[in-house]
Amino acid sequence: MKVLLAEDDPILADGLSAQLRRAGYEVEHADNGAVAEYLLLKQHFDLAILDLGLPMVDGLTVLRRVRSAKPDLPLLVLTALDGLDHRVAGLNAGADDYLTKPFDFPELEARMRALLRRSRPASDATHLQLGNLKLDREARRATVRGEALDLSPREWLLLELLLTHRDKVATKEQIAQAWGTDRSESGGPGSTEVYIHRLRRKIEDSGLVIRTVRGLGYLLETEAG
């Protein structure tokens, strides 16, 4: 899981980054709001931790802009501003959770895990949704903004695999395995790339992109604003 930590206190940032890495997270640090906003809009993160008192661009502004561009990104506010007005302002600006300093790391990690669970589609769920894309596994139907997608059997299996693996890269081996029971379409050299290209065109209005991870496979993620 990749986490952005936006915190201008270098001692706290170093200590918290170290704790998060020991807990198994990949951490990128931003020490001001301008850098935090740029990274969140241009890169993929599974979760962001934002201080409200950031220099250059304040945390509330970053929160509003990122929430507008990435409605599904879990955003956790971590701040010394513990007044009711501040908590309400943070939540109204788009925060999914609000934790005040000082705090205990186990509580922060528990809140992070809860946000990540809510943001991921369950692999065994009948209905999956990410961005404006919805999948009904039972009906074998996919829609974008309510409009049904015309998908071939292999395109459906590929989209389903990418969505259930949204936090991880779907490898070509996994794609071949997912296609293993389908005999309706012929495959061949380069066929995976052909289907990826077709699927990218069909979901272009969903707010999602299929990113090629060179040498590994493909990753479905929210499109950067």
Side-chain angles (χ1 to χ4, degrees), residues 12-109:
L12 176 58
D14 288 347
L16 186 52
S17 295
Q19 286 180 300
L20 289 169
R21 291 188 179 105
R22 284 195 295 269
Y25 295 95
E26 179 185 348
V27 182
E28 188 150 354
H29 172 234
D31 61 2
N32 65 67
V35 171
E37 181 181 347
Y38 177 83
L39 291 174
L40 286 170
L41 294 180
K42 298 300 182 182
Q43 297 185 23
H44 169 73
F45 290 93
D46 297 290
L47 183 142
I49 302 172
L50 296 173
D51 182 18
L52 293 185
L54 294 170
M56 296 184 67
V57 180
D58 67 89
L60 274 181
T61 300
V62 175
L63 188 58
R64 292 190 189 97
R65 292 173 178 172
V66 172
R67 174 55 71 221
S68 176
K70 294 192 172 184
D72 299 306
L73 177 66
L75 297 169
L76 189 153
V77 167
L78 184 65
T79 179
L81 302 173
D82 61 353
L84 176 61
D85 290 345
H86 293 117
R87 292 198 299 274
V88 170
L91 294 169
N92 284 340
D96 295 294
D97 202 353
Y98 195 105
L99 184 62
T100 58
K101 306 172 186 176
F103 61 93
D104 293 318
F105 181 74
E107 180 182 4
L108 171 64
E109 190 181 10

